[in-house]
Amino acid sequence: MDTTTHFPAPTDHARPSNAGVADPLAGSFITSYAGVIAFLAVADEGSFSRASDRLGIGRSAVSRSVQKLEAQLDARLFHRTTRSTALTREGELFYRNCQPGVARIVQALEDLRELRDGPPHGHLRIHSNPGFGRKVIAPLLHGFHAQYPDITLELLLDDRPADFIVDRIDVSFRDGRMEDSDIVARQLIPMQMITCASPAYAEAKGLPRRVDELAGHRCINYRTATGRIREWEFKIDGYAKRHLPPAQHTFNDLDLILQAVLHGQGIAQLPAYLVCELVNNRKLTVCLAQHAPDDGGHYLCYLSRKQLPARIRVFIDHVTEQARSLDLQCLTTLANAPST
């Protein structure tokens, strides 16, 4: 989302009729408006010359606007040398505070433009954790693009939570709801966690019948983006329990864990979307199904808005319909079965 190029220029008829009355807001509006836009462009581009190219004005005009803004704020916003331009600490703070407001103004302009111009179009920036993004979301993008060829797509795979403002994210997929009142979180599909091993491992080492028997097996753990080891989840006697078995291997990527399990290196607890097809094809064996935890849910998240842009709205509808038609609940028939 471009935070600088969509702003209309101030016009004379927009000025209040009582222009002669001292008003701090009115008196500083023109300087602040130009200065903030110039400041954001320089901060984004890392250079006054590149900012001038982006804004379509001279480098000296960009420099003057930033200098006037610094004088207004009585603060230095950039460290300037002949070779580089970098934000000061005050500049970093001002940049963070400006971004949400500017992003909302630009979005408001884009929303109205979409309503005026008809069919959904524009750019969509999508965020997901790598496993869910590769296995579920990426395959659904082909059908969406065929239906809406005027919408360009960008899929970012990252285990870290999305920052909707800084990373300019339109839609994010995550496991579990977000505790943020500005974010709408809609459950896309349930999230079953499957404890599984390869048939070769089961034949050679056997499988646990109780959770406490995991200590006697080769377990494979997952290290999250925050650096902690994710605990395994179970339901025992009607209560949710967390358990962290000793690990033979630890990986920070679910696909690596899956490959290790398929090669008979141990037991792991993995999300159903990664293993259902393999379970159905008997390439993986489920264990401790009677202690499977309650579904946590995969959530589709986006910024709370009264009027969603058409490109986001049609994407949400498409992904929701297609994802819910997938067969990703491989514990449906196993949840009440005895341990393997």
Side-chain angles (χ1 to χ4, degrees):
M1 183 185 298
D2 191 336
T3 58
T4 59
T5 58
H6 300 296
F7 286 92
T11 56
D12 290 337
H13 67 266
R15 295 175 182 169
S17 58
N18 58 343
V21 179
D23 183 336
L25 177 61
S28 64
F29 176 74
I30 300 300
T31 300
S32 297
Y33 185 93
V36 169
I37 298 304
F39 163 76
L40 289 173
V42 175
D44 287 339
E45 300 296 333
S47 156
F48 278 80
S49 59
R50 287 196 296 271
S52 70
D53 291 340
R54 179 177 179 178
L55 296 176
I57 59 177
R59 185 185 186 284
S60 59
V62 174
S63 181
R64 285 195 302 272
S65 293
V66 172
Q67 288 173 0
K68 289 179 181 178
L69 179 64
E70 289 178 320
Q72 275 187 305
L73 300 175
D74 193 22
R76 189 182 183 91
L77 300 176
F78 291 104
H79 293 299
R80 303 172 178 85
T81 69
T82 55
R83 294 186 177 182
S84 66
T85 300
L87 288 168
T88 63
R89 294 185 66 179
E90 292 81 3
E92 291 175 355
L93 176 63
F94 189 64
Y95 182 83
R96 288 197 302 270
N97 287 339
C98 285
Q99 278 294 89
V102 171
R104 289 182 182 276
I105 292 172
V106 173
Q107 187 62 60
L109 293 170
E110 290 188 352
D111 292 350
L112 289 176
R113 193 173 294 114
E114 278 196 335
L115 290 174
R116 181 193 66 196
D117 295 342
H121 66 279
H123 188 68
L124 264 180
R125 202 166 161 87
I126 307 156
H127 171 278
S128 174
N129 68 59
F132 194 73
R134 290 192 190 102
K135 187 68 176 179
V136 179
I137 302 305
L140 300 182
L141 299 184
H142 304 297
F144 179 79
H145 179 68
Q147 189 172 355
Y148 300 100
D150 293 332
I151 299 177
T152 58
L153 301 170
E154 185 175 358
L155 176 59
L156 307 175
L157 302 182
D158 196 332
D159 273 320
R160 294 171 300 175
D163 188 319
F164 283 81
I165 299 299
V166 174
D167 299 328
R168 306 193 305 278
I169 301 299
D170 293 304
V171 177
S172 177
F173 298 91
R174 60 168 289 149
D175 302 340
R177 300 192 63 174
M178 299 186 70
E179 300 300 326
D180 188 335
S181 59
D182 291 329
I183 304 298
V184 177
R186 293 171 49 180
Q187 184 170 339
L188 186 64
I189 55 174
M191 183 179 70
Q192 293 181 339
M193 296 301 293
I194 312 297
T195 306
C196 55
S198 70
Y201 179 92
E203 183 177 353
K205 305 290 185 181
L207 292 173
R209 294 178 179 274
R210 300 191 310 271
V211 172
D212 57 13
E213 292 181 3
L214 285 170
H217 284 267
R218 295 171 177 262
C219 295
I220 305 173
N221 282 338
Y222 172 61
R223 187 179 296 277
T224 68
T226 63
R228 69 177 182 86
I229 304 296
R230 188 168 71 186
E231 295 175 305
W232 297 25
E233 299 178 8
F234 298 100
K235 192 169 186 179
I236 302 174
D237 297 329
Y239 294 96
K241 301 288 185 181
R242 294 181 180 271
H243 182 72
L244 188 60
Q248 178 75 15
H249 301 294
T250 300
F251 299 100
N252 68 345
D253 183 88
L254 292 178
D255 287 331
L256 292 178
I257 295 177
L258 177 58
Q259 292 306 312
V261 173
L262 287 169
H263 285 92
Q265 295 180 22
I267 300 173
Q269 189 174 74
L270 291 165
Y273 66 80
L274 278 180
V275 302
C276 265
E277 184 177 352
L278 297 167
V279 169
N280 292 335
N281 293 334
R282 303 196 176 187
K283 293 181 179 179
L284 287 178
T285 301
V286 175
C287 60
L288 300 173
Q290 77 278 22
H291 295 307
D294 292 333
D295 292 335
H298 295 287
Y299 283 82
L300 184 154
C301 306
Y302 52 92
L303 281 176
S304 176
R305 296 173 185 155
K306 290 184 178 179
Q307 179 66 45
L308 273 180
R311 67 183 187 280
I312 297 179
R313 188 173 64 252
V314 296
F315 178 77
I316 290 172
D317 292 343
H318 176 85
V319 170
T320 300
E321 178 183 0
Q322 296 299 315
R324 290 178 179 174
S325 69
L326 300 175
D327 183 14
L328 299 176
Q329 308 305 309
C330 54
L331 278 185
T332 302
T333 58
L334 294 174
N336 298 317
S339 181
T340 304

